Amino acid sequence: GAFISPLENTNKQTTNASSRTKEETMSDDQKSQPSQRNDNRQPVRLYSKGVFVGFRRSQRNQKNSTALVKIQGVNSAKDTQFYLGKRIAYIYKAKTAKQGSNYRVIWGKVQRSHGNNGIVRTKFAKNLPSQAMGASVRVMLYPSRV
């Protein structure tokens, strides 16, 4: 007859063990603990990055009420259509804490595109300070128009 080595015999045992479901192999204390699979994943960013590039202006006049924002990955006027109406947050750090946080937010929204390069015109609740030029803003992915 055929000789069966001890290694082949152990392989048969492991295949039987792996055919059992995951819950059967776990002990009671493992079942009560939440799964640790998600600990290694990075958090998902739920906004697009943008940069406040300046105010809308003509040769001599500047309109402080309209801020121009360049959204990352948007390079044409056609691409800006998705972002129209989306909320924008300019987050900055202040010296004194209010409501337990030193961070403050000025909210705004995307109004329309500006030129053909993917820059958008935005209106904020309060006009952005000029020191914010070049600073990053968060373009939230809501409200959705899809």
Side-chain angles (χ1 to χ4, degrees):
F3 175 75
I4 299 175
S5 72
L7 294 175
E8 289 178 18
N9 198 14
T10 56
N11 285 342
K12 288 182 182 178
Q13 289 173 353
T14 55
T15 55
N16 290 342
S18 64
S19 65
R20 289 189 292 175
T21 62
K22 193 174 184 179
E23 285 188 5
E24 291 173 349
T25 57
M26 288 199 300
S27 65
D28 288 337
D29 58 321
Q30 286 177 328
K31 288 180 186 176
S32 62
Q33 289 179 352
S35 174
Q36 305 219 343
R37 180 179 288 173
N38 295 339
D39 288 349
N40 298 343
R41 293 195 347 220
Q42 290 290 330
V44 177
R45 179 165 48 90
L46 296 175
Y47 57 89
S48 295
K49 292 180 179 180
V51 176
F52 170 44
V53 293
F55 295 107
R56 181 171 162 232
R57 53 172 298 161
S58 59
Q59 186 175 8
R60 292 176 182 84
N61 297 326
Q62 175 174 286
K63 296 171 174 48
N64 295 339
S65 59
T66 305
L68 301 178
V69 172
K70 175 73 175 129
I71 302 172
Q72 189 179 51
V74 178
N75 296 316
S76 70
K78 189 177 147 199
D79 295 343
T80 62
Q81 296 301 312
F82 170 79
Y83 291 97
L84 300 185
K86 298 285 190 271
R87 308 285 293 170
I88 295 189
Y90 167 64
I91 300 172
Y92 61 100
K93 193 172 183 180
K95 190 170 185 181
T96 57
K98 286 195 176 182
Q99 298 176 351
S101 174
N102 284 40
Y103 291 97
R104 314 235 175 110
V105 182
I106 301 176
W107 284 98
K109 66 181 169 192
V110 177
Q111 301 287 334
R112 55 176 287 185
S113 67
H114 180 82
N116 293 317
N117 248 356
I119 291 181
V120 292
R121 296 183 194 175
T122 61
K123 296 261 190 185
F124 284 82
K126 290 185 174 176
N127 296 344
L128 292 182
S130 55
Q131 69 194 25
M133 284 188 198
S136 62
V137 295
R138 295 180 179 185
V139 182
M140 303 299 177
L141 299 179
Y142 54 82
S144 175
R145 298 185 303 131
V146 179

